[in-house]
Each structure stands twice: as C-alpha cells, then as structure tokens.
Amino acid sequence: MKEIRELLYNYFEGYTDAAQKRRLRDYFLKGDIPEDLLIYKPLFVYLEEEVAAFRKQEKPAVVKSKTFPLLTYISGVAAALLLILGIGSLLRQDDPCLCTGSYVMIDGKCYTDPSVIRSMAVEALEQVSSPLEEEFSGETERYDGSNIVKEQLSEFGALFNED
C-alpha cells in the first residue's frame, strides 16, 4: 500500500515512467482499493479506457491520388525552368551595364559611350535653357544668357574630356 501511495505522489509530480503508470492503472482497475484512494480510481479507469479505445481504432487505408504524382512532376519541371531562366538572365552578356567600366542610366537605359552621353547631356541642357529676357525681364543687361549656357556646356564637357 505504501508503494502505491509513493507511486501516486511521483505520478502527480511527473516522476513516473511508463511501467510505473501501467502499475497504477492495473492497481486501480482491481477491486480492493482503500477508501482514501477511491478518488483516484476514475482517473486511472478513464486512462485505461482511452488506451483500450486507441488500440481498437482501425487505421484508415491511405488512398493515393493519381493526380498527385502528375502535379509534383509538373511543379518540378516549372521550378527547374524558372531556375534556368533566372540563371540565364544573370549570365546574359548583352547587357552593357554588366560591364566593369563607367556607365550612365538615362530614362532606364544604360549608356557607356562618352560621346553619346555628352550629346544627350548637351541636348538636355539646351531643352532646359531659356532666353534670359524671359526670366530676368529687367535685369538682362547684367546677364549674358548665351555666355552662361556656353560656360555650363564647357564645364560639363570638361568632365568627359578623354585625357
């Protein structure tokens, strides 16, 4: 009896192993239980019933779908194709921006030729320049508009001079 009480104490403290738990279930399934331990009987009877019900459960047959291998095959092919396309686009050499030299991005396009860059810059500066008479209506005698644009173009051109 003392051993059962010790097992109960260890059970509720979480120190029992599977064999000790089985011994407690067997003890409470038998009929001669002291009155002070009767309160534990429903717990161990319930556990034994659950174990028995679990053992009696029939495992359902696994039905394999015939579409699953086809879906797996198709998704594998698609993944391989995407991987090949991704690596191919990274290794593509016709993109001038993959070179190691200097380049300029203008309107989403990559330019590496300095003469093209210079001509596009001059064209852009000419588009944004306006006659100074329009901008400085009363102060045109202090500013010479053509000289300012020429100075800016020459400074800009000096950046691209090939030395």
Side-chain angles (χ1 to χ4, degrees):
M1 183 61 59
K2 182 179 178 186
E3 182 184 355
I4 294 297
R5 291 181 193 280
E6 286 179 18
L7 280 176
L8 272 174
Y9 176 79
N10 288 337
Y11 176 79
F12 288 116
E13 292 296 318
Y15 298 128
T16 54
D17 58 11
Q20 293 169 331
K21 290 176 187 176
R22 180 73 180 143
R23 184 145 190 260
L24 280 171
R25 282 198 311 260
D26 290 342
Y27 176 79
F28 283 103
L29 289 174
K30 296 180 181 172
D32 56 341
I33 302 169
E35 197 167 313
D36 64 323
L37 297 180
L38 278 176
I39 59 172
Y40 302 116
K41 182 177 180 174
L43 172 69
F44 290 100
V45 170
Y46 173 76
L47 288 176
E48 184 61 31
E49 289 172 356
E50 288 296 312
V51 169
F54 179 75
R55 288 181 182 154
K56 288 181 183 178
Q57 283 182 347
E58 292 182 26
K59 295 181 181 177
V62 177
V63 179
K64 291 187 177 182
S65 171
K66 295 193 186 277
T67 60
F68 181 72
L70 179 62
L71 181 63
T72 304
Y73 177 74
I74 291 172
S75 62
V77 169
L81 184 62
L82 284 175
L83 183 66
I84 290 169
L85 290 175
I87 291 173
S89 68
L90 288 175
L91 297 176
R92 196 176 62 190
Q93 290 298 321
D94 61 341
D95 188 3
C97 290
L98 288 178
C99 61
T100 58
S102 299
Y103 62 91
V104 174
M105 296 293 290
I106 301 173
D107 293 329
K109 295 179 183 174
C110 186
Y111 297 96
T112 57
D113 185 17
S115 61
V116 173
I117 296 170
R118 188 177 305 119
S119 66
M120 291 180 80
V122 168
E123 183 181 318
L125 283 173
E126 287 173 353
Q127 287 177 358
V128 296
S129 66
S130 63
L132 287 178
E133 290 81 26
E134 295 175 8
E135 300 295 324
F136 305 101
S137 59
E139 305 174 13
T140 54
E141 61 276 354
R142 290 190 341 194
Y143 300 105
D144 183 12
S146 61
N147 287 338
I148 292 175
V149 172
K150 287 178 186 175
E151 286 175 18
Q152 289 176 347
L153 288 175
S154 66
E155 288 176 13
F156 185 74
L159 293 174
F160 291 104
N161 282 342
E162 298 173 282
D163 295 322

Short mmCIF file of all heavy atoms in Angstrom, two decimals, residues 65-104:
data_model
loop_
_atom_site.label_atom_id
_atom_site.label_comp_id
_atom_site.label_asym_id
_atom_site.label_seq_id
_atom_site.Cartn_x
_atom_site.Cartn_y
_atom_site.Cartn_z
N SER A 65 -3.73 9.55 -54.43
CA SER A 65 -4.32 10.17 -55.60
C SER A 65 -3.39 9.99 -56.79
O SER A 65 -2.18 10.09 -56.68
CB SER A 65 -4.56 11.65 -55.34
OG SER A 65 -4.94 12.29 -56.51
N LYS A 66 -3.98 9.73 -57.93
CA LYS A 66 -3.17 9.56 -59.13
C LYS A 66 -2.75 10.91 -59.71
O LYS A 66 -1.85 10.98 -60.51
CB LYS A 66 -3.93 8.75 -60.16
CG LYS A 66 -4.18 7.33 -59.69
CD LYS A 66 -4.65 6.48 -60.82
CE LYS A 66 -5.04 5.11 -60.32
NZ LYS A 66 -3.93 4.21 -60.18
N THR A 67 -3.42 12.00 -59.30
CA THR A 67 -3.06 13.31 -59.82
C THR A 67 -1.87 13.90 -59.07
O THR A 67 -1.21 14.79 -59.57
CB THR A 67 -4.25 14.29 -59.72
OG1 THR A 67 -4.62 14.42 -58.34
CG2 THR A 67 -5.41 13.80 -60.55
N PHE A 68 -1.60 13.42 -57.88
CA PHE A 68 -0.50 13.98 -57.09
C PHE A 68 0.85 13.79 -57.77
O PHE A 68 1.61 14.74 -57.86
CB PHE A 68 -0.50 13.40 -55.68
CG PHE A 68 0.59 13.95 -54.82
CD1 PHE A 68 0.52 15.25 -54.35
CD2 PHE A 68 1.70 13.19 -54.49
CE1 PHE A 68 1.52 15.78 -53.57
CE2 PHE A 68 2.70 13.71 -53.72
CZ PHE A 68 2.62 15.00 -53.25
N PRO A 69 1.19 12.61 -58.25
CA PRO A 69 2.49 12.50 -58.94
C PRO A 69 2.57 13.39 -60.18
O PRO A 69 3.61 13.96 -60.47
CB PRO A 69 2.58 11.02 -59.33
CG PRO A 69 1.71 10.33 -58.35
CD PRO A 69 0.60 11.30 -58.06
N LEU A 70 1.47 13.54 -60.90
CA LEU A 70 1.47 14.41 -62.07
C LEU A 70 1.68 15.86 -61.66
O LEU A 70 2.46 16.58 -62.28
CB LEU A 70 0.15 14.26 -62.83
CG LEU A 70 -0.01 15.12 -64.08
CD1 LEU A 70 1.06 14.75 -65.11
CD2 LEU A 70 -1.39 14.98 -64.65
N LEU A 71 1.00 16.27 -60.60
CA LEU A 71 1.16 17.64 -60.11
C LEU A 71 2.58 17.87 -59.61
O LEU A 71 3.17 18.93 -59.87
CB LEU A 71 0.15 17.92 -58.98
CG LEU A 71 0.17 19.30 -58.38
CD1 LEU A 71 -0.21 20.34 -59.42
CD2 LEU A 71 -0.78 19.37 -57.20
N THR A 72 3.14 16.89 -58.95
CA THR A 72 4.52 17.01 -58.47
C THR A 72 5.48 17.12 -59.65
O THR A 72 6.41 17.93 -59.62
CB THR A 72 4.88 15.79 -57.61
OG1 THR A 72 3.94 15.68 -56.55
CG2 THR A 72 6.27 15.91 -57.03
N TYR A 73 5.27 16.32 -60.65
CA TYR A 73 6.13 16.33 -61.83
C TYR A 73 6.05 17.69 -62.53
O TYR A 73 7.08 18.29 -62.87
CB TYR A 73 5.72 15.22 -62.78
CG TYR A 73 6.50 15.20 -64.07
CD1 TYR A 73 7.82 14.76 -64.11
CD2 TYR A 73 5.93 15.65 -65.25
CE1 TYR A 73 8.53 14.76 -65.28
CE2 TYR A 73 6.64 15.66 -66.44
CZ TYR A 73 7.94 15.20 -66.44
OH TYR A 73 8.64 15.22 -67.61
N ILE A 74 4.84 18.20 -62.73
CA ILE A 74 4.67 19.48 -63.42
C ILE A 74 5.28 20.63 -62.62
O ILE A 74 5.95 21.50 -63.18
CB ILE A 74 3.17 19.74 -63.71
CG1 ILE A 74 2.68 18.75 -64.78
CG2 ILE A 74 2.94 21.17 -64.16
CD1 ILE A 74 1.19 18.79 -65.00
N SER A 75 5.08 20.63 -61.30
CA SER A 75 5.64 21.71 -60.50
C SER A 75 7.17 21.62 -60.46
O SER A 75 7.85 22.64 -60.43
CB SER A 75 5.07 21.69 -59.08
OG SER A 75 5.41 20.50 -58.42
N GLY A 76 7.71 20.42 -60.49
CA GLY A 76 9.17 20.27 -60.55
C GLY A 76 9.75 20.80 -61.84
O GLY A 76 10.78 21.46 -61.87
N VAL A 77 9.07 20.50 -62.94
CA VAL A 77 9.52 20.99 -64.25
C VAL A 77 9.44 22.52 -64.29
O VAL A 77 10.34 23.20 -64.78
CB VAL A 77 8.69 20.36 -65.39
CG1 VAL A 77 8.95 21.05 -66.71
CG2 VAL A 77 8.99 18.87 -65.50
N ALA A 78 8.35 23.07 -63.77
CA ALA A 78 8.20 24.53 -63.75
C ALA A 78 9.27 25.20 -62.90
O ALA A 78 9.84 26.23 -63.29
CB ALA A 78 6.81 24.90 -63.24
N ALA A 79 9.58 24.60 -61.76
CA ALA A 79 10.62 25.18 -60.90
C ALA A 79 11.98 25.12 -61.58
O ALA A 79 12.76 26.07 -61.52
CB ALA A 79 10.66 24.44 -59.57
N ALA A 80 12.27 24.01 -62.25
CA ALA A 80 13.55 23.89 -62.95
C ALA A 80 13.64 24.91 -64.09
O ALA A 80 14.70 25.51 -64.31
CB ALA A 80 13.72 22.47 -63.49
N LEU A 81 12.55 25.10 -64.80
CA LEU A 81 12.54 26.07 -65.90
C LEU A 81 12.76 27.49 -65.38
O LEU A 81 13.55 28.26 -65.96
CB LEU A 81 11.21 25.98 -66.65
CG LEU A 81 11.06 26.85 -67.88
CD1 LEU A 81 12.09 26.45 -68.93
CD2 LEU A 81 9.66 26.74 -68.45
N LEU A 82 12.11 27.84 -64.28
CA LEU A 82 12.32 29.17 -63.69
C LEU A 82 13.76 29.35 -63.22
O LEU A 82 14.34 30.43 -63.37
CB LEU A 82 11.36 29.39 -62.53
CG LEU A 82 9.92 29.69 -62.91
CD1 LEU A 82 9.05 29.76 -61.66
CD2 LEU A 82 9.83 30.98 -63.68
N LEU A 83 14.33 28.30 -62.67
CA LEU A 83 15.72 28.38 -62.22
C LEU A 83 16.66 28.59 -63.40
O LEU A 83 17.58 29.42 -63.35
CB LEU A 83 16.08 27.10 -61.46
CG LEU A 83 17.47 27.04 -60.86
CD1 LEU A 83 17.60 28.09 -59.77
CD2 LEU A 83 17.75 25.67 -60.31
N ILE A 84 16.44 27.86 -64.48
CA ILE A 84 17.28 28.00 -65.66
C ILE A 84 17.14 29.40 -66.26
O ILE A 84 18.13 30.04 -66.62
CB ILE A 84 16.94 26.91 -66.70
CG1 ILE A 84 17.40 25.55 -66.19
CG2 ILE A 84 17.55 27.22 -68.05
CD1 ILE A 84 16.90 24.38 -67.00
N LEU A 85 15.91 29.91 -66.35
CA LEU A 85 15.71 31.26 -66.89
C LEU A 85 16.34 32.32 -66.01
O LEU A 85 16.91 33.30 -66.50
CB LEU A 85 14.22 31.53 -67.07
CG LEU A 85 13.53 30.76 -68.19
CD1 LEU A 85 12.04 31.03 -68.17
CD2 LEU A 85 14.12 31.10 -69.53
N GLY A 86 16.25 32.15 -64.70
CA GLY A 86 16.86 33.11 -63.78
C GLY A 86 18.36 33.15 -63.89
O GLY A 86 18.97 34.22 -63.95
N ILE A 87 18.97 31.99 -63.94
CA ILE A 87 20.43 31.94 -64.07
C ILE A 87 20.85 32.48 -65.44
O ILE A 87 21.84 33.20 -65.55
CB ILE A 87 20.93 30.50 -63.85
CG1 ILE A 87 20.75 30.11 -62.39
CG2 ILE A 87 22.39 30.36 -64.26
CD1 ILE A 87 21.05 28.66 -62.09
N GLY A 88 20.07 32.16 -66.47
CA GLY A 88 20.39 32.66 -67.81
C GLY A 88 20.33 34.16 -67.89
O GLY A 88 21.17 34.79 -68.54
N SER A 89 19.36 34.76 -67.23
CA SER A 89 19.27 36.22 -67.29
C SER A 89 20.40 36.88 -66.51
O SER A 89 20.84 37.99 -66.85
CB SER A 89 17.92 36.69 -66.75
OG SER A 89 17.82 36.44 -65.36
N LEU A 90 20.91 36.21 -65.48
CA LEU A 90 22.04 36.77 -64.74
C LEU A 90 23.34 36.67 -65.53
O LEU A 90 24.22 37.52 -65.43
CB LEU A 90 22.21 36.04 -63.41
CG LEU A 90 21.17 36.33 -62.35
CD1 LEU A 90 21.40 35.45 -61.13
CD2 LEU A 90 21.20 37.79 -61.94
N LEU A 91 23.46 35.65 -66.33
CA LEU A 91 24.69 35.44 -67.08
C LEU A 91 24.69 36.08 -68.46
O LEU A 91 25.67 35.98 -69.18
CB LEU A 91 24.96 33.93 -67.21
CG LEU A 91 25.18 33.18 -65.90
CD1 LEU A 91 25.34 31.70 -66.17
CD2 LEU A 91 26.36 33.74 -65.14
N ARG A 92 23.60 36.70 -68.81
CA ARG A 92 23.48 37.31 -70.14
C ARG A 92 24.51 38.43 -70.29
O ARG A 92 24.59 39.33 -69.47
CB ARG A 92 22.06 37.85 -70.30
CG ARG A 92 21.69 38.16 -71.71
CD ARG A 92 20.28 38.59 -71.78
NE ARG A 92 20.14 39.82 -71.00
CZ ARG A 92 19.00 40.36 -70.69
NH1 ARG A 92 17.89 39.80 -71.04
NH2 ARG A 92 18.95 41.48 -70.00
N GLN A 93 25.27 38.40 -71.37
CA GLN A 93 26.35 39.36 -71.55
C GLN A 93 25.99 40.52 -72.48
O GLN A 93 26.80 41.40 -72.68
CB GLN A 93 27.58 38.65 -72.11
CG GLN A 93 28.25 37.73 -71.12
CD GLN A 93 28.75 38.46 -69.89
OE1 GLN A 93 29.27 39.56 -70.00
NE2 GLN A 93 28.59 37.86 -68.73
N ASP A 94 24.81 40.55 -73.07
CA ASP A 94 24.49 41.64 -73.99
C ASP A 94 24.00 42.89 -73.25
O ASP A 94 23.72 43.89 -73.86
CB ASP A 94 23.46 41.19 -75.02
CG ASP A 94 22.15 40.77 -74.39
OD1 ASP A 94 22.14 40.47 -73.19
OD2 ASP A 94 21.12 40.73 -75.09
N ASP A 95 23.93 42.83 -71.96
CA ASP A 95 23.53 43.99 -71.17
C ASP A 95 24.78 44.83 -70.89
O ASP A 95 25.70 44.37 -70.23
CB ASP A 95 22.89 43.55 -69.86
CG ASP A 95 22.28 44.71 -69.10
OD1 ASP A 95 22.30 45.84 -69.61
OD2 ASP A 95 21.77 44.48 -67.99
N PRO A 96 24.85 46.07 -71.38
CA PRO A 96 26.06 46.86 -71.20
C PRO A 96 26.30 47.26 -69.75
O PRO A 96 27.42 47.64 -69.41
CB PRO A 96 25.81 48.09 -72.08
CG PRO A 96 24.34 48.20 -72.21
CD PRO A 96 23.83 46.78 -72.15
N CYS A 97 25.32 47.21 -68.92
CA CYS A 97 25.51 47.61 -67.53
C CYS A 97 26.19 46.54 -66.70
O CYS A 97 26.49 46.76 -65.54
CB CYS A 97 24.17 48.00 -66.91
SG CYS A 97 23.52 49.52 -67.59
N LEU A 98 26.39 45.36 -67.26
CA LEU A 98 27.10 44.33 -66.52
C LEU A 98 28.61 44.47 -66.66
O LEU A 98 29.36 43.75 -66.05
CB LEU A 98 26.67 42.94 -67.00
CG LEU A 98 25.27 42.51 -66.59
CD1 LEU A 98 24.95 41.15 -67.17
CD2 LEU A 98 25.13 42.49 -65.08
N CYS A 99 29.05 45.42 -67.49
CA CYS A 99 30.48 45.59 -67.67
C CYS A 99 31.07 46.28 -66.44
O CYS A 99 30.36 46.83 -65.61
CB CYS A 99 30.78 46.39 -68.93
SG CYS A 99 30.09 48.04 -68.91
N THR A 100 32.36 46.27 -66.36
CA THR A 100 33.02 46.83 -65.18
C THR A 100 33.35 48.30 -65.32
O THR A 100 33.76 48.93 -64.36
CB THR A 100 34.33 46.05 -64.90
OG1 THR A 100 35.15 46.15 -66.06
CG2 THR A 100 34.04 44.61 -64.58
N GLY A 101 33.18 48.88 -66.51
CA GLY A 101 33.51 50.29 -66.73
C GLY A 101 32.43 51.22 -66.21
O GLY A 101 31.47 50.83 -65.56
N SER A 102 32.59 52.49 -66.55
CA SER A 102 31.62 53.50 -66.14
C SER A 102 30.42 53.48 -67.07
O SER A 102 30.52 53.17 -68.25
CB SER A 102 32.26 54.89 -66.20
OG SER A 102 33.35 54.95 -65.32
N TYR A 103 29.26 53.82 -66.52
CA TYR A 103 28.05 53.89 -67.32
C TYR A 103 27.10 54.91 -66.71
O TYR A 103 27.27 55.32 -65.56
CB TYR A 103 27.37 52.52 -67.44
CG TYR A 103 26.92 51.95 -66.12
CD1 TYR A 103 25.65 52.19 -65.63
CD2 TYR A 103 27.76 51.14 -65.36
CE1 TYR A 103 25.22 51.67 -64.43
CE2 TYR A 103 27.35 50.62 -64.17
CZ TYR A 103 26.07 50.88 -63.70
OH TYR A 103 25.66 50.36 -62.52
N VAL A 104 26.11 55.32 -67.50
CA VAL A 104 25.11 56.29 -67.06
C VAL A 104 23.74 55.72 -67.38
O VAL A 104 23.54 55.16 -68.46
CB VAL A 104 25.32 57.64 -67.79
CG1 VAL A 104 24.21 58.62 -67.46
CG2 VAL A 104 26.66 58.23 -67.45
#
